[in-house]
């Protein structure tokens, strides 16, 4: 049996349908290549997001607009800033802590502890409670309960240090998914503030910013 990957269907559109090319991002134009339509910008032009780059309504020989589907590429220098907030690493409990048991007796509403007076649990400790009612099963039960508490002390484990390279890689991957070109240069910063770490990636890119949009009325 021969297995082949399914070919993607080509995009179908009407060549006569009017369409402009607009800027997908703010930037400075470096290269313009127009296959259909009329270029409204040239190298060195500063453009804003949403601005029309190539018009889909060029004039014919009679000076009248002729609606076409604008096609081409407009390459520009663009700049991005991507930020994220990372929580500070927390101290965790390590496994294999020291265990000890303690007992208490509950008679009615009164409790008798067979250990120190304090019942306060400190951070880093786990407590497992077992209760046993006294009496004869099926005959009678006494208003007395034996309580067995197992206390497990977990030694603190220092948190792993914050990894700035990992945060930088995730921000870069996020940016690459949104850039129609390449990252020319970048800078990364990490600042600890208010119990968190603020990371920022700034990048200059070179990309094709032309995207299709409904043609503007003539």
């Amino acid at each position: 049996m021969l297995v082949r990957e399914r070919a993607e269907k080509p995009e179908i559109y009407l060549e006569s349908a009017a369409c402009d090319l607009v800027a997908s991002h703010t930037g400075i134009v470096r290269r313009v290549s127009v296959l259909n339509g009329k270029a409204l910008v040239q190298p060195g032009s500063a453009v804003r997001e949403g601005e029309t780059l190539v018009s889909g309504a060029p004039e014919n020989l009679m000076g009248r607009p002729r609606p076409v589907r604008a096609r081409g590429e407009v390459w520009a220098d663009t700049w991005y800033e991507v930020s994220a907030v990372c929580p500070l690493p927390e101290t965790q409990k390590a496994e294999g802590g020291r265990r000890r048991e303690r007992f208490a007796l509950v008679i009615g509403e009164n409790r008798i502890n067979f250990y120190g007076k304090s019942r306060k649990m400190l951070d880093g400790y786990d407590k497992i409670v077992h209760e046993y009612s006294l009496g004869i099963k099926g005959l009678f039960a006494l208003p007395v309960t034996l309580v067995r508490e197992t206390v497990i002390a977990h030694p603190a484990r220092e948190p792993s240090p914050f990894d700035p390279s990992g945060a930088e890689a995730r921000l870069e991957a996020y940016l690459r998914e949104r850039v129609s070109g390449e990252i020319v240069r970048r800078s990364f910063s990490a600042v600890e503030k208010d119990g968190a770490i603020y990371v920022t990636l700034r990048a200059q890119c070179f990309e094709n910013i032309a995207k299709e949009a409904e043609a503007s009325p003539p």
Side-chain angles (χ1 to χ4, degrees):
M1 180 177 64
L2 180 62
V3 179
R4 294 181 178 177
E5 184 177 350
R6 185 179 65 179
E8 296 293 335
K9 294 183 179 180
E11 181 182 4
I12 300 175
Y13 58 86
L14 295 176
E15 188 66 32
S16 59
C19 173
D20 291 338
L21 294 182
V22 301
S24 62
H25 198 79
T26 299
I28 298 178
V29 176
R30 296 304 180 194
R31 188 170 72 226
V32 180
S33 176
V34 178
L35 301 177
N36 205 14
K38 179 182 179 182
L40 301 183
V41 295
Q42 58 185 356
S45 301
V47 298
R48 303 188 63 169
E49 181 179 351
E51 182 177 341
T52 302
L53 306 175
V54 180
S55 171
E59 297 179 351
N60 57 20
L61 296 178
M62 302 296 294
R64 299 175 181 175
R66 178 175 57 88
V68 298
R69 186 180 186 86
R71 289 190 296 166
E73 295 182 348
V74 178
W75 289 79
D77 290 331
T78 56
W79 289 264
Y80 291 83
E81 182 176 303
V82 184
S83 300
V85 180
C86 305
L88 286 172
E90 297 181 352
T91 302
Q92 300 178 351
K93 295 185 295 185
E95 298 298 330
R98 180 169 52 86
R99 303 168 64 98
R100 65 185 180 90
E101 292 186 342
R102 59 189 190 182
F103 297 87
L105 195 64
V106 178
I107 304 175
E109 297 182 356
N110 299 315
R111 177 183 173 116
I112 303 174
N113 296 327
F114 299 108
Y115 52 89
K117 295 182 180 180
S118 175
R119 298 176 58 190
K120 181 179 179 181
M121 294 298 297
L122 302 177
D123 293 339
Y125 285 75
D126 288 341
K127 180 173 70 172
I128 303 173
V129 179
H130 300 274
E131 295 184 351
Y132 307 93
S133 297
L134 301 184
I136 298 177
K137 185 176 181 180
L139 294 179
F140 64 90
L142 297 175
V144 179
T145 302
L146 176 64
V147 180
R148 177 168 63 91
E149 297 179 350
T150 302
V151 181
I152 307 173
H154 294 282
R157 183 174 62 187
E158 290 300 320
S160 301
F162 175 72
D163 180 15
S165 60
E168 181 179 4
R170 288 191 290 272
L171 289 181
E172 182 180 347
Y174 174 86
L175 181 59
R176 288 191 183 278
E177 293 179 354
R178 288 155 178 78
V179 174
S180 301
E182 61 177 333
I183 298 177
V184 178
R185 59 175 60 91
R186 65 186 182 183
S187 63
F188 175 79
S189 62
V191 179
E192 182 178 337
K193 180 182 178 182
D194 299 331
I197 298 178
Y198 295 78
V199 293
T200 302
L201 178 68
R202 297 178 178 84
Q204 178 184 343
C205 304
F206 183 62
E207 60 177 321
N208 176 25
I209 62 172
K211 70 173 184 179
E212 294 185 353
E214 184 178 351
S216 302

